[in-house]
């Protein structure tokens, strides 16, 4: 059941300081739950007949696009000598290891060992294959229980297919635990960090709601002075002419994804929409890959957005670079101190930490190791 915290925020009632509660898991030691669809590459980055290396939480994954155009995702190691399959060669609908040319189907099964004879030992069955889907210009894999993949929907990004918006795609590595990214976007009280780009912005938390899997906050933004980047004015729906506007921003963490909608004054739909997710790369999950889809409403004069597009890209990259500087500094402090010494006072962030803890999984060997059963089973359907 969703709990509305707006009255508590408005009245400024103190909340217990959950950072200091004994026995509460350190959020930075909580891993991303693998039982969701996570993007691991841009679709355009996996070209026909080519292989691409990627990873999820220390699990190395080889992506390849076969002759049919379908993308496959395999554990990035040959069952023979453990050479990465991402170094291999696509052969029709199979992937051949670059070393001894063992061929793998898209389901991970070995389809051919060129020199195998009847007198040779029984080879392994193959390697792990991940459920894989393409959507929104991204390649998604399901790194968790494969039986759950069919009943777990892809994230919903309604603005992506709308003719009302034009989409800008982001893909950047950030050296921090994914939770720092959730906190950064949800806590809009850090606008002082961006003062050189957006001027003086005064965010006011109007209300927020939290539940077992989600936290949603609504802010009112007021520009109180300082120089404001022209692209910032455009994204804030002031338009090419720079008309004044009050903006309400709604940010939501719906585990494990985040969304942001910016609705100008008197508007009935967002002028800007963002969908984002932070995919852990290493086993300790101290590095993540941020994927974002920024959907910007097209103005009446479509050519205006075309002209402004590179400037908007530059502006958003600059803001992201400042955010990355801050969250990577937070991660370095955690690394140096060996624990989370944050003294958070914002109830909203305490709630999103609860959501991330509750829905995540403990870090450790069990969370990052792959099942290797396919290595030890006989390959009954091997085609020599």
């Amino acid at each position: 059941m969703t709990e509305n915290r707006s009255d508590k925020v408005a009245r400024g009632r103190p909340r217990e300081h959950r950072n200091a509660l004994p026995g509460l898991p350190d959020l930075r030691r909580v891993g991303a739950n693998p039982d969701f669809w996570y993007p691991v590459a841009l679709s355009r980055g996996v070209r026909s007949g080519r292989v691409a290396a990627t990873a999820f939480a220390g699990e190395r994954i080889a992506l390849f696009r076969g002759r049919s155009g379908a993308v496959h995702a395999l554990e990035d190691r040959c069952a023979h000598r453990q050479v990465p399959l991402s170094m291999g060669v696509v052969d029709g609908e199979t992937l051949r290891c670059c070393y001894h040319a063992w061929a793998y189907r898209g389901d991970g099964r070995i389809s051919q060992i060129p020199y195998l004879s009847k007198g040779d030992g029984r080879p392994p069955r193959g390697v792990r294959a991940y459920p894989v889907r393409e959507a929104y210009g991204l390649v998604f894999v399901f790194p968790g229980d494969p039986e759950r993949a069919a009943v777990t929907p892809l994230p919903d990004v309604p603005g992506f297919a709308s003719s009302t918006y034009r989409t800008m795609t982001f893909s950047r590595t950030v050296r921090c635990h994914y939770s720092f990214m959730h906190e950064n976007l949800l806590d809009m009280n850090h606008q002082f960090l961006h003062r050189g780009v957006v001027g003086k912005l005064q965010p006011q938390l109007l209300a927020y709601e939290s539940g077992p899997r989600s936290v949603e906050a609504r802010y009112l933004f007021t520009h109180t002075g300082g120089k404001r980047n022209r692209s910032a004015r455009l994204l804030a729906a002031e338009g090419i002419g720079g008309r004044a506007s009050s903006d309400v921003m709604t940010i939501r963490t719906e585990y494990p994804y985040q969304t942001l909608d910016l609705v100008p004054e008197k508007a009935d739909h967002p002028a800007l929409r963002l969908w984002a997710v932070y995919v852990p790369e290493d086993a300790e999950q101290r590095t993540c890959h941020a994927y974002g889809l920024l959907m910007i409403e097209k103005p009446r004069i479509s050519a205006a957005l075309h002209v402004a597009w590179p400037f908007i890209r530059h502006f958003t990259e600059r803001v992201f670079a400042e955010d990355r500087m801050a969250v990577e500094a937070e991660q370095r402090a955690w690394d140096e101190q060996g624990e989370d010494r944050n003294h958070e006072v914002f109830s909203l962030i305490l709630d999103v930490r609860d959501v991330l803890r509750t829905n995540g999984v403990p870090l450790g060997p069990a969370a990052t190791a792959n099942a290797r059963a396919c290595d030890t089973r006989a390959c009954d359907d091997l085609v020599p």
Side-chain angles (χ1 to χ4, degrees):
M1 181 176 180
T2 300
E3 180 182 0
N4 193 312
R5 308 283 194 185
S6 57
D7 60 336
K8 197 170 290 187
V9 172
R11 298 175 189 177
R13 297 179 186 176
R15 300 188 61 198
E16 61 181 81
H17 189 65
R18 277 176 277 169
N19 292 5
L21 289 180
L24 194 65
D26 186 337
L27 176 58
R28 320 310 172 185
R29 299 184 190 275
V30 174
N33 190 329
D35 285 330
F36 291 89
W37 290 97
Y38 290 91
V40 291
L42 303 180
S43 287
R44 65 174 180 264
V46 188
R47 292 180 289 171
S48 180
R50 303 296 295 272
V51 195
T54 186
F56 176 86
E59 299 179 14
R60 293 187 295 112
I61 301 171
L63 303 174
F64 75 98
R65 192 181 296 276
R67 183 167 47 205
S68 68
V71 176
H72 307 284
L74 303 181
E75 184 181 1
D76 194 7
R77 62 174 193 90
C78 180
H80 179 212
R81 298 286 189 89
Q82 312 303 302
V83 173
L85 288 176
S86 58
M87 297 169 60
V89 177
V90 178
D91 183 4
E93 290 299 314
T94 64
L95 177 59
R96 288 190 180 274
C97 177
C98 69
Y99 199 6
H100 291 82
W102 286 29
Y104 295 83
R105 302 189 187 104
D107 61 2
R109 300 290 186 91
I110 299 172
S111 65
Q112 185 190 40
I113 299 175
Y115 53 86
L116 187 68
S117 65
K118 293 183 178 179
D120 292 332
R122 294 174 68 83
R125 186 182 296 268
V127 297
R128 177 182 178 183
Y130 295 83
V132 59
R133 294 178 66 180
E134 286 190 87
Y136 317 124
L138 303 171
V139 178
F140 288 80
V141 300
F142 196 88
D145 182 352
E147 294 185 359
R148 295 189 179 186
V151 296
T152 303
L154 284 169
D156 185 25
V157 188
F160 184 85
S162 172
S163 60
T164 303
Y165 300 96
R166 180 178 176 185
T167 300
M168 185 178 291
T169 302
F170 295 90
S171 171
R172 294 288 183 272
T173 296
V174 187
R175 294 180 178 86
C176 76
H177 189 265
Y178 63 89
S179 61
F180 288 115
M181 298 295 290
H182 278 271
E183 294 176 18
N184 171 265
L185 186 63
L186 200 57
D187 186 355
M188 281 292 159
N189 295 309
H190 75 274
Q191 294 309 306
F192 185 73
L193 177 68
H194 306 305
R195 60 195 179 277
V197 185
V198 298
K200 295 180 180 180
L201 279 182
Q202 181 61 51
Q204 177 189 352
L205 181 63
L206 300 176
Y208 81 91
E209 296 180 347
S210 62
R213 278 194 53 204
S214 66
V215 175
E216 180 176 288
R218 291 174 57 245
Y219 293 90
L220 177 66
F221 277 85
T222 305
H223 183 238
T224 60
K227 185 177 180 180
R228 197 174 193 185
N229 182 283
R230 188 184 181 106
S231 295
R233 296 201 305 268
L234 177 63
L235 290 174
E238 294 181 9
I240 300 298
R243 63 179 176 81
S245 173
S246 297
D247 308 310
V248 173
M249 185 177 290
T250 302
I251 308 164
R252 182 178 181 85
T253 287
E254 179 76 31
Y255 192 90
Y257 314 113
Q258 271 195 315
T259 59
L260 180 154
D261 286 342
L262 186 147
V263 181
E265 184 181 16
K266 298 180 181 179
D268 58 0
H269 63 276
L272 178 151
R273 313 191 76 173
L274 172 70
W275 176 89
V277 65
Y278 319 110
V279 183
E281 293 186 333
D282 57 318
E284 293 184 333
Q285 302 199 20
R286 296 184 187 180
T287 298
C288 65
H289 199 102
Y291 291 92
L293 302 172
L294 180 64
M295 291 149 282
I296 303 168
E297 185 179 23
K298 298 175 183 177
R300 292 180 179 178
I301 304 174
S302 58
L305 184 58
H306 178 76
V307 172
W309 200 251
F311 299 100
I312 295 174
R313 166 71 76 171
H314 177 74
F315 163 75
T316 53
E317 292 283 7
R318 183 174 172 183
V319 170
F320 183 83
E322 292 176 343
D323 284 332
R324 179 163 55 185
M325 174 190 68
V327 295
E328 289 184 347
E330 289 186 285
Q331 181 65 61
R332 288 195 301 272
W334 189 95
D335 292 338
E336 293 166 2
Q337 296 162 359
E339 61 181 355
D340 194 348
R341 296 187 186 177
N342 278 332
H343 293 278
E344 186 54 63
V345 297
F346 195 17
S347 299
L348 169 64
I349 298 306
L350 294 174
D351 277 7
V352 78
R353 289 180 179 180
D354 282 348
V355 167
L356 297 175
R357 282 192 190 95
T358 302
N359 291 279
V361 296
L363 284 178
T368 56
N370 288 329
R372 310 295 188 187
C374 61
D375 282 345
T376 58
R377 290 177 296 182
C379 184
D380 299 327
D381 58 351
L382 182 69
V383 180

